[in-house]
Amino acid sequence: RTWFSKSKKAIVSPPSNIGLSDCEIPFECIETVNRFLIVTALLFSLAAAAAAQDRELARIILTEPIGLARSREYVKLSLQAEAWALADSHAALLAIDAATQRAIPCQVFNQQLSANGEAVIFSVIFPVTLQAGETKILSLRTSHESGSRSQPVTDLLLEGKGTELRIANKFYVADLRRSERAEPQSHASGQIRELLIEEFNQLLTNAEDRLHWAPNFKRPGMEYYTTIAHWNEPRVQAIDNGGYLIQTRRQDLAPGHPEILLTAVYSFYAEVPYFEFYSSMEVTEDLWLELLRNDEMTMDSMFTHLAFQRPEGEIVDVPFSERYEMLQQRPIENEAPWLCFYHAEKQYAFGSIRLQYDLTNALGEPSPTYQAHTQIGEWLGGIKYWNRRLIHDHLTFVPKGSRYVERNAYVVFRIGAPQRFEAIENLARQLRNPIRVSVLPQ
């Protein structure tokens, strides 16, 4: 309670914890305090208004590099900005075409705040269409317009949490959950256990293990090799869930091989018939290995043929029954652009497009390999598999600093006629030659 005397002194009732009957404060001080509060409120209001303004975070140039028209191809890039730039939950991020002013909603993911809280590093993804050889300039801007804040509605769906996930779009359903049907399927690893090809209602399974169980490794003295599918709740787990991209990121020591730091990233996209898998094996201490493999898919007997492209461009297409002698004479190179299994009568196909293959160690030199090649195998009554052999059944010293990195796109498609492999050929050409992105200086 406050009142004023004739001498313009304010009499203020003191807090209960002060042992005085009353206090006298000069009237001029009250006016000063009031002015301070008004100025402070105004500054906060101006700061809030500034934060709410639309701002350009970057200008980028997109260039189609090889004379191939692109329809709804995803552009991904990483940026850095002041921490407040993405702090406004009421703002959206748009990619605005400088020529047409068409605005494309962006998905922001994988945000990381600097230790001092002043900067944020983040990734952005959005789809674009470019004509062959075309160049576009886009502005990445925040927007507070009500219509811009709604995320695009796509076919991408996520169920579950942690490593127990089902992820789907109109082309496939990827099931990453555990199962008690077989011991290797029972671990909470977050690897794909089975895959449904929606167009054919064809489920790709592996009764003995998971569909996707690479990387895998074997040290001397072990009776069996271990795989990434033997992870149980890896120590690092993160999920980005948006309209264009659902991404799972995991990292931990390799099962049974604590000298290997293993990183795995799945990227599932809306409206396209493929997903990507990135893996990195970093050797943190010297070790010996008898086997090291990656890019492995193992499926029950549901395919009749194998096809692949040699690095020089030749396409090889053979029934499984005729593959052995040919591959004995010349194995599939680890640099092969793509390979696939397919069913000749039912026409469904599943393949791998090789996007990145890097064996460079910490010093910029090649990491050890032994008879590196791509293996095609069949066992246990018809189960068929492909894998990329890095160390092939030979005791090999792998020193600290060795590193093995891969990124592959796994695609479901229909075998065409007369261009039987047109779908995977076109997609491989597109993904292996992505749109070029340049960030202009601000």
Side-chain angles (χ1 to χ4, degrees):
R1 296 175 57 191
T2 304
W3 64 96
F4 300 97
S5 69
K6 292 181 180 179
S7 62
K8 289 190 176 181
K9 289 185 177 180
I11 310 301
V12 182
S13 299
S16 58
N17 61 343
I18 297 179
L20 297 173
S21 58
D22 57 43
C23 298
E24 291 191 352
I25 302 176
F27 187 74
E28 291 78 6
C29 291
I30 295 297
E31 291 179 320
T32 301
V33 170
N34 287 338
R35 284 196 298 270
F36 173 77
L37 293 176
I38 291 171
V39 171
T40 301
L42 180 60
L43 289 175
F44 274 113
S45 177
L46 291 173
Q53 290 178 356
D54 296 344
R55 293 177 178 270
E56 183 179 70
L57 299 187
R59 283 183 301 144
I60 61 174
I61 298 177
L62 304 181
T63 304
E64 197 292 308
I66 61 169
L68 178 68
R70 314 295 175 114
S71 177
R72 194 183 172 82
E73 180 169 328
Y74 286 108
V75 169
K76 286 195 286 188
L77 68 154
S78 294
L79 295 170
Q80 193 171 136
E82 292 87 351
W84 56 262
L86 297 180
D88 188 353
S89 61
H90 299 290
L93 185 62
L94 302 178
I96 301 175
D97 190 320
T100 66
Q101 293 301 299
R102 178 175 177 264
I104 307 169
C106 300
Q107 178 185 337
V108 177
F109 65 103
N110 195 21
Q111 298 184 51
Q112 302 175 57
L113 195 64
S114 64
N116 62 8
E118 295 180 359
V120 61
I121 299 173
F122 59 99
S123 298
V124 176
I125 181 172
F126 57 92
V128 297
T129 297
L130 288 179
Q131 300 304 312
E134 184 181 8
T135 293
K136 284 185 178 181
I137 298 177
L138 283 78
S139 171
L140 296 183
R141 299 186 65 89
T142 58
S143 173
H144 288 77
E145 293 183 12
S146 58
S148 69
R149 293 199 296 271
S150 58
Q151 288 296 311
V153 177
T154 67
D155 61 353
L156 199 55
L157 299 172
L158 171 68
E159 297 177 2
K161 59 182 180 179
T163 57
E164 299 295 289
L165 303 174
R166 289 179 78 250
I167 300 170
N169 67 16
K170 66 183 179 183
F171 294 99
Y172 59 77
V173 179
D175 195 333
L176 288 65
R177 299 173 300 181
R178 288 175 290 181
S179 171
E180 297 303 323
R181 290 197 296 261
E183 193 279 334
Q185 300 178 7
S186 65
H187 302 274
S189 66
Q191 287 294 109
I192 293 177
R193 181 170 53 84
E194 57 188 30
L195 186 76
L196 176 69
I197 306 177
E198 287 279 18
E199 180 183 358
F200 298 91
N201 194 31
Q202 177 64 52
L203 188 64
L204 306 184
T205 61
N206 178 354
E208 298 294 324
D209 209 315
R210 290 183 180 247
L211 178 79
H212 189 203
W213 60 348
N216 47 56
F217 4 75
K218 183 175 184 292
R219 67 194 312 140
M222 296 185 70
E223 184 176 0
Y224 301 106
Y225 56 83
T226 61
T227 83
I228 190 174
H230 288 96
W231 260 350
N232 265 310
E233 298 293 354
R235 287 183 294 179
V236 175
Q237 297 184 38
I239 300 175
D240 287 297
N241 182 14
Y244 300 135
L245 170 70
I246 295 173
Q247 187 176 86
T248 71
R249 303 188 301 276
R250 296 160 293 148
Q251 188 177 68
D252 205 343
L253 302 180
H257 297 74
E259 303 89 348
I260 301 174
L261 179 63
L262 180 58
T263 303
V265 181
Y266 277 125
S267 298
F268 301 92
Y269 302 95
E271 315 288 347
V272 294
Y274 65 89
F275 59 90
E276 293 178 3
F277 180 71
Y278 167 89
S279 65
S280 170
M281 292 179 278
E282 299 180 48
V283 178
T284 59
E285 298 293 340
D286 294 351
L287 81 159
W288 291 81
L289 290 174
E290 294 178 350
L291 179 144
L292 187 64
R293 301 186 296 198
N294 209 340
D295 185 18
E296 179 158 4
M297 291 287 178
T298 303
M299 292 148 283
D300 296 330
S301 182
M302 53 190 67
F303 296 98
T304 62
H305 285 65
L306 156 73
F308 61 93
Q309 186 178 42
R310 298 280 188 192
E312 67 272 16
E314 176 194 4
I315 293 178
V316 179
D317 177 14
V318 293
F320 271 102
S321 58
E322 299 176 14
R323 80 185 189 283
Y324 185 78
E325 184 175 343
M326 177 197 69
L327 295 181
Q328 283 291 101
Q329 295 176 1
R330 184 183 175 186
I332 302 175
E333 297 84 354
N334 270 357
E335 295 80 10
W338 59 264
L339 64 88
C340 71
F341 291 171
Y342 70 92
H343 194 290
E345 293 182 4
K346 297 181 180 179
Q347 295 187 304
Y348 60 78
F350 180 47
S352 172
I353 299 173
R354 273 77 181 274
L355 304 179
Q356 182 181 3
Y357 180 52
D358 183 3
L359 307 182
T360 306
N361 68 14
L363 299 176
E365 299 170 349
S367 300
T369 61
Y370 184 81
Q371 289 188 355
H373 69 282
T374 297
Q375 178 89 0
I376 306 296
E378 189 171 6
W379 62 295
L380 289 179
I383 290 179
K384 296 175 175 63
Y385 63 87
W386 74 69
N387 60 48
R388 207 173 204 165
R389 303 251 166 159
L390 304 170
I391 295 175
H392 177 55
D393 294 329
H394 180 81
L395 187 60
T396 303
F397 175 64
V398 183
K400 177 181 178 179
S402 299
R403 185 169 172 266
Y404 305 85
V405 171
E406 291 191 23
R407 185 165 60 93
N408 305 303
Y410 295 103
V411 55
V412 298
F413 64 102
R414 174 184 287 271
I415 292 295
Q419 300 298 321
R420 184 181 292 258
F421 306 109
E422 184 177 15
I424 193 169
E425 284 186 89
N426 289 343
L427 188 58
R429 189 178 176 209
Q430 171 189 327
L431 296 180
R432 288 167 61 87
N433 299 278
I435 292 171
R436 292 176 185 161
V437 184
S438 302
V439 180
L440 294 172
Q442 290 287 81

